[in-house]
Amino acid sequence: MNQINDSTGEDTLDQAIDNTEISFEERLTYDKISFYYISSPIMLVGNLLGALLLCAIQLGTVDLYSIGIWLLVSFIMFLYRFYHYYLFKHESESNKLRDAKIWIDKYYTNTLLSGIVWGSSAFLIFPVSELLNQMIVIFFLFAIGFSAMGILASKRYLLLTYALVTYSPIMVRLFFMEDEIYTKSAYIILALLLIMILSANYYGKVINNALNNRQHFISIKHTHEKLKERFFSLFERAPVGIYYYNSALELEDVNMHFMRINKIEDKEKLLNSNLHGSPYNQMIEAHEEVFKGKTGNYRGPFQVPHSTQNLYVNLSTVPMLDAEGNVAGGITIIDDITNEVTAKEEMLRNAYYDMLTNIPNRTLLLDKMKAFLGKKRQNREYAALLFLELNHFKKVNDTYGHDVGDHLLQQVVKRIDYNIDSHEIFARITENKFVILLPSLDIDQELSKEMTSNYISKIDDVFVTPFNLAGDEYHVSFTIGIVLFNDIDVSAYDLLKRAETAMYEAKKSARGTSQFYQSSMSQETHEMLMLENDMHRAMANDEFIVYYQPQLDIEQNKIIGAEALIRWNHPKKGFISPGLFIPIAEESGTIIKLEEWIIDKALSEIKNLSQRWDNFMLNHIAINISTLHFLQPHFVEKLMLQIHKYGVKAEWIELEITESGLMRNIDDAVKKIKELKNFGFSFAIDDFGTGYSSLSYLKELPVDIVKIDQSFIMNMHKSKGDAIIVEAVIAIAEKFNFKVLAEGVEDKETLEALKKLKCDIFQGYYAHKPMPMKDFEKLL
């Protein structure tokens, strides 16, 4: 340490004690005079103000000559005592310690002199009549006397002397006044004086005990040098950064961890660095709080001079006191949370921003729209919500691959975003769908329509220049739905649905066109939107049911697993085909909540099944996971929480992911698959054979089962091409040691053909239809 306490008053006193043979009693006397003289200014000012106030009250009842004399004497006494305080304050600590007895005798003498001055008020400013003013003089004598008697109480003879010189004049005066009330008042004062003496005596003991305890503490302190050394060792080896600073916010010492997080090896570079040089004002203010006797706390960016590290920290700083109890500086404990904050910011950004294009996603768009609608109450201008779909984007993916498609999306967003004003909102909703909010048009509806149409023309002009896709020129266009609104009662969600409805209506007319929303839009589109609304209610009301389609070993014809499939029993429409509501859920983003519901329900039923049979008799239960859901940043963590919630084994669960979904972000997909396989999950590629690069990527995927799409299986005995594809997939899967599952087996002829090709597992209506858990359990 840099001996940062050497400059404090306590160390000066310690050096004086070490260099002089001082007894315990002398140190105690030193503490007393320090205590008395430190409180002197307040007491002296109080005495002076009391004298001024008393004289002001007595004007008109006592002659000005007497008041003037007494006030002059009081003021001289104030200056005399303040002079002694000034001398004491500027005396060296060693001299104070040496002359402690002299100083305390001076203090006692001055206090007695003050008592004499106040006692003289009984003759100089005590009115002959006016009982109220007489009582006021008595009140002031007791108020002033009580504070002084507490100090003198440690010396009994001084206490009695002070009482005598202060109160005997008033009692003599009262005894010699003719009215009986004054005699009684004299006796009352005598009684109160006795009570004050007893109280002051108690107060004096409290002070003496406190000072005694302090001296004992100081004595103990001098025996704890080893403890101090241990503290310094802890200081250097602490797993958090620690530094000391002075009143100028200059670093006086830092520990090793603080140097390490700032990547500085030479401590001298940090010492005397001034925190005022930091660009972060809140951090500086937190350090300045200690000089107000408070703890300073700060969480935010942090940088010290001579360091290139931009950290994010959580710090707490407390006052560092000297021997006199004054704040000499501060001690800061600093925890580097840069990695934690970076991870949280990344998580937050992933939650509100599109990972591919870095613009707001659906969640953030709806939040911003809700905020906008909340502020729009005072504004009747029309606003417009544009729902844009990039035309023929699927063909780009199928023709050039998903990497090229993703790059195209990024370039499209870049062009639009360049032309977006700061008050407008631009967001990506799903794969090739975007939304623009124009918040302020005009109060006239027709003019607002015209302004919106001009805006769309401006967007079209941006895409006159074609893109370069793998050496080919490619022109893009949008189908756009628009909803104009100045109605503050409509929800953000409804506005988005209306704009989407208008976009679908425009697409029916011709791609590349735009359409304004009207309440008379087609019933079919309306029903599709209502179906999406019903899905949210269905999850809350348990309208969905999990069905299980058995999966059989093709050689043994034995059930070895099942695929969990969702069914919707609508209260008014009956059973709704998954082929109708699943695409809507995927397009709207509801698929994530829907699949979370499926996982929760399936795990609950798997747990119950294993408990009823005291064992899990199947190889697995397969659960379908959409690409959107699987690529969520915290998919793995959420899934494991559900596994632990129900106490099922990860080995019992097989996750089915579509081939096309894996191709969107194969690196992230492979990473997550490996992580989940380490927990025990198995994986199947669903709809295999429908992607554009299935075979070339198959070797990179750490999956267990390849599931051949039913479109090939159902026609393999009729179509030679389909049969060749199935045979090729089985051969390649065997090479990579994957099992093959054929779905959509509906007849014996297909099953026999698959046996010859050495397919491993099959499912389809030929074996069993999907069924609820209670019926599935009967088959086992």
Side-chain angles (χ1 to χ4, degrees):
M1 300 291 291
N2 290 302
Q3 297 181 346
I4 58 176
N5 287 329
D6 287 354
S7 60
T8 66
E10 182 173 329
D11 239 32
T12 306
L13 175 58
D14 291 345
Q15 290 169 3
I17 292 173
D18 292 339
N19 297 332
T20 314
E21 295 202 8
I22 303 296
S23 67
F24 179 84
E25 288 299 322
E26 288 174 315
R27 291 205 304 270
L28 185 59
T29 303
Y30 173 88
D31 269 359
K32 282 183 180 180
I33 63 170
S34 297
F35 172 77
Y36 293 158
Y37 276 93
I38 286 171
S39 59
S40 285
I42 297 174
M43 292 183 64
L44 291 176
V45 171
N47 271 263
L48 183 59
L49 292 176
L52 291 170
L53 181 59
L54 179 57
C55 289
I57 294 171
Q58 298 302 83
L59 287 173
T61 58
V62 179
D63 62 282
L64 290 176
Y65 180 78
S66 298
I67 290 175
I69 291 175
W70 188 80
L71 189 58
L72 178 61
V73 172
S74 297
F75 186 70
I76 292 171
M77 192 67 228
F78 167 81
L79 293 177
Y80 178 74
R81 293 191 65 182
F82 194 87
Y83 173 70
H84 279 88
Y85 166 76
Y86 177 83
L87 292 177
F88 178 85
K89 191 70 177 175
H90 290 82
E91 186 65 279
S92 67
E93 297 297 329
S94 58
N95 288 344
K96 289 178 187 177
L97 187 60
R98 184 191 63 205
D99 302 327
K101 193 172 185 310
I102 297 172
W103 280 109
I104 201 164
D105 286 342
K106 284 181 181 180
Y107 189 88
Y108 288 152
T109 302
N110 291 342
T111 305
L112 287 174
L113 289 174
S114 292
I116 292 171
V117 172
W118 277 96
S120 67
S121 65
F123 299 106
L124 291 174
I125 58 173
F126 191 83
V128 177
S129 58
E130 298 295 333
L131 181 60
L132 178 60
N133 290 71
Q134 292 170 349
M135 293 301 105
I136 289 174
V137 173
I138 294 171
F139 172 79
F140 270 80
L141 284 173
F142 276 97
I144 296 297
F146 187 77
S147 59
M149 290 176 73
I151 293 172
L152 300 173
S154 59
K155 301 286 186 180
R156 186 172 299 173
Y157 71 92
L158 287 173
L159 177 62
L160 295 175
T161 304
Y162 182 87
L164 180 65
V165 300
T166 305
Y167 296 100
S168 60
I170 191 66
M171 286 191 290
V172 170
R173 179 74 184 268
L174 291 172
F175 273 124
F176 281 94
M177 295 181 76
E178 295 179 355
D179 199 325
E180 186 179 356
I181 191 173
Y182 295 113
T183 305
K184 290 180 178 179
S185 297
Y187 284 116
I188 292 172
I189 292 173
L190 182 60
L192 290 174
L193 183 59
L194 290 173
I195 293 172
M196 280 182 60
I197 291 172
L198 293 174
S199 300
N201 188 54
Y202 172 77
Y203 182 64
K205 289 180 180 179
V206 170
I207 293 175
N208 285 334
N209 286 337
L211 295 174
N212 269 308
N213 290 338
R214 185 176 184 277
Q215 280 305 318
H216 281 299
F217 172 78
I218 292 174
S219 297
I220 292 170
K221 175 190 160 200
H222 286 292
T223 66
H224 281 71
E225 289 303 322
K226 287 186 179 181
L227 183 61
K228 189 175 180 180
E229 291 175 5
R230 291 174 186 172
F231 167 76
F232 291 151
S233 177
L234 176 64
F235 167 80
E236 286 296 344
R237 298 176 184 177
V240 292
I242 304 174
Y243 57 82
Y244 293 81
Y245 58 93
N246 58 24
S247 58
L249 297 193
E250 294 173 334
L251 299 186
E252 296 196 327
D253 201 2
V254 301
N255 72 347
M256 296 297 295
H257 191 83
F258 185 76
M259 294 169 57
R260 196 155 45 244
I261 63 177
N262 284 283
K263 297 195 179 334
I264 290 180
E265 296 181 359
D266 185 4
K267 181 185 286 192
E268 294 301 321
K269 287 185 178 180
L270 286 173
L271 298 186
N272 297 319
S273 296
N274 198 309
L275 295 175
H276 281 296
S278 170
Y280 308 114
N281 291 331
Q282 287 184 335
M283 186 271 287
I284 297 171
E285 289 170 3
H287 286 79
E288 290 174 340
E289 282 292 300
V290 303
F291 299 104
K292 302 174 186 176
K294 300 178 182 179
T295 298
N297 294 293
Y298 171 74
R299 180 185 175 93
F302 179 90
Q303 187 177 29
V304 293
H306 309 298
S307 172
T308 59
Q309 295 299 301
N310 289 307
L311 306 174
Y312 202 98
V313 303
N314 193 7
L315 68 79
S316 181
T317 180
V318 297
M320 182 173 63
L321 307 180
D322 58 22
E324 297 175 354
N326 298 320
V327 178
I331 307 171
T332 298
I333 296 176
I334 182 169
D335 187 15
D336 179 13
I337 56 172
T338 306
N339 292 336
E340 174 189 340
V341 170
T342 302
K344 286 183 178 179
E345 287 179 348
E346 184 68 23
M347 180 177 67
L348 192 63
R349 184 157 194 87
N350 290 340
Y352 289 102
Y353 285 84
D354 180 61
M355 294 173 64
L356 177 65
T357 61
N358 205 32
I359 63 174
N361 61 13
R362 179 191 180 92
T363 302
L364 183 56
L365 170 70
L366 289 173
D367 285 350
K368 286 179 174 288
M369 286 177 63
K370 288 173 186 175
F372 169 71
L373 291 172
K375 295 176 181 177
K376 193 173 169 56
R377 297 188 180 276
Q378 305 298 325
N379 185 357
R380 302 308 296 173
E381 283 185 333
Y382 277 91
L385 193 68
L386 282 61
F387 196 105
L388 297 79
E389 181 179 89
L390 181 62
N391 295 319
H392 307 298
F393 182 67
K394 187 176 184 300
K395 290 183 179 179
V396 173
N397 279 338
D398 293 342
T399 305
Y400 297 100
H402 285 267
D403 289 342
V404 174
D406 288 347
H407 181 69
L408 174 63
L409 285 175
Q410 290 171 336
Q411 294 304 308
V412 166
V413 166
K414 187 176 180 181
R415 285 194 190 182
I416 296 177
D417 200 38
Y418 182 79
N419 292 275
I420 292 289
D421 290 338
S422 59
H423 64 286
E424 298 167 355
I425 300 172
F426 178 39
R428 183 186 181 200
I429 302 302
T430 56
E431 187 174 31
N432 64 328
K433 294 180 175 64
F434 304 89
V435 166
I436 299 174
L437 174 65
L438 306 179
S440 179
L441 295 172
D442 194 86
I443 58 174
D444 181 73
Q445 185 177 17
E446 292 303 319
L447 183 56
S448 296
K449 276 188 175 183
E450 183 180 345
M451 292 171 69
T452 305
S453 298
N454 292 338
Y455 189 91
I456 292 172
S457 297
K458 186 176 73 170
I459 292 177
D460 291 337
D461 291 342
V462 169
F463 293 100
V464 169
T465 304
F467 292 94
N468 186 302
L469 297 187
D472 298 332
E473 285 190 354
Y474 186 80
H475 291 269
V476 302
S477 64
F478 291 94
T479 303
I480 304 174
I482 312 111
V483 58
L484 280 177
F485 63 96
N486 65 352
D487 182 5
I488 59 173
D489 294 326
V490 68
S491 70
Y493 181 79
D494 286 339
L495 286 173
L496 188 61
K497 288 293 100 185
R498 291 178 186 180
E500 186 177 12
T501 300
M503 186 275 295
Y504 281 118
E505 286 295 312
K507 189 191 290 188
K508 285 181 182 180
S509 173
R511 291 181 184 269
T513 62
S514 61
Q515 184 84 275
F516 283 91
Y517 174 79
Q518 299 176 9
S519 57
S520 60
M521 289 292 182
S522 70
Q523 184 65 26
E524 179 185 344
T525 305
H526 178 73
E527 286 182 359
M528 183 183 70
L529 296 175
M530 290 304 100
L531 198 63
E532 182 180 340
N533 291 334
D534 288 348
M535 271 193 284
H536 293 280
R537 188 194 66 250
M539 281 184 279
N541 297 340
D542 279 337
E543 296 174 15
F544 290 111
I545 308 168
V546 177
Y547 273 44
Y548 297 87
Q549 182 163 37
Q551 295 177 338
L552 289 79
D553 182 284
I554 205 163
E555 288 294 332
Q556 301 178 17
N557 200 34
K558 174 187 174 183
I559 295 175
I560 60 171
E563 180 181 7
L565 302 169
I566 191 167
R567 297 293 182 263
W568 184 2
N569 187 9
H570 196 283
K572 295 181 180 178
K573 301 176 182 178
F575 278 94
I576 298 176
S577 169
L580 182 59
F581 67 83
I582 291 295
I584 296 174
E586 289 178 337
E587 189 170 325
S588 65
T590 311
I591 190 67
I592 295 176
K593 289 185 178 180
L594 189 59
E595 288 181 349
E596 287 176 346
W597 183 92
I598 296 170
I599 292 170
D600 188 82
K601 188 70 174 178
L603 293 181
S604 173
E605 293 184 339
I606 291 169
K607 176 186 177 181
N608 294 334
L609 177 67
S610 64
Q611 288 178 340
R612 284 193 294 270
W613 290 78
D614 293 328
N615 192 13
F616 187 71
M617 302 166 293
L618 304 171
N619 289 356
H620 62 262
I621 295 290
I623 300 175
N624 289 281
I625 304 296
S626 67
T627 303
L628 180 64
H629 192 187
F630 187 68
L631 294 179
Q632 289 296 301
H634 298 285
F635 172 79
V636 175
E637 291 85 346
K638 288 184 177 180
L639 180 59
M640 291 309 300
L641 285 174
Q642 292 293 87
I643 289 290
H644 290 305
K645 174 182 175 182
Y646 290 105
V648 303
K649 294 182 179 180
E651 292 84 354
W652 300 349
I653 309 300
E654 177 184 285
L655 301 177
E656 290 191 7
I657 308 171
T658 61
E659 175 197 6
S660 58
L662 290 173
M663 296 305 111
R664 278 189 61 187
N665 191 342
I666 191 167
D667 292 335
D668 188 32
V670 169
K671 180 182 176 182
K672 284 184 176 177
I673 291 173
K674 288 181 178 178
E675 185 176 359
L676 287 165
K677 282 180 70 69
N678 288 336
F679 287 119
F681 292 93
S682 57
F683 278 83
I685 301 179
D686 198 7
D687 299 340
F688 189 80
T690 61
Y692 72 95
S693 56
S694 308
L695 303 182
S696 62
Y697 278 96
L698 182 60
K699 62 182 179 181
E700 296 185 27
L701 299 174
V703 297
D704 305 279
I705 295 175
V706 172
K707 194 172 181 180
I708 304 177
D709 186 62
Q710 61 182 349
S711 61
F712 299 114
I713 300 298
M714 293 173 69
N715 296 315
M716 63 177 292
H717 60 286
K718 299 177 183 177
S719 168
K720 187 175 181 180
D722 288 345
I724 292 172
I725 290 174
V726 172
E727 185 177 356
V729 170
I730 293 174
I732 294 172
E734 184 179 359
K735 177 181 179 181
F736 293 111
N737 201 27
F738 298 150
K739 289 186 176 182
V740 178
L741 187 153
E743 64 172 341
V745 178
E746 297 188 352
D747 52 58
K748 186 176 181 181
E749 185 179 355
T750 302
L751 181 61
E752 292 301 323
L754 291 169
K755 281 184 180 180
K756 290 180 181 178
L757 294 174
K758 296 183 179 180
C759 181
D760 301 291
I761 310 165
F762 79 98
Q763 69 181 68
Y765 281 18
Y766 178 72
H768 299 284
K769 295 180 179 180
M771 62 194 72
M773 175 57 80
K774 62 179 182 179
D775 296 331
F776 175 66
E777 189 176 352
K778 293 176 183 177
L779 295 176
L780 300 179

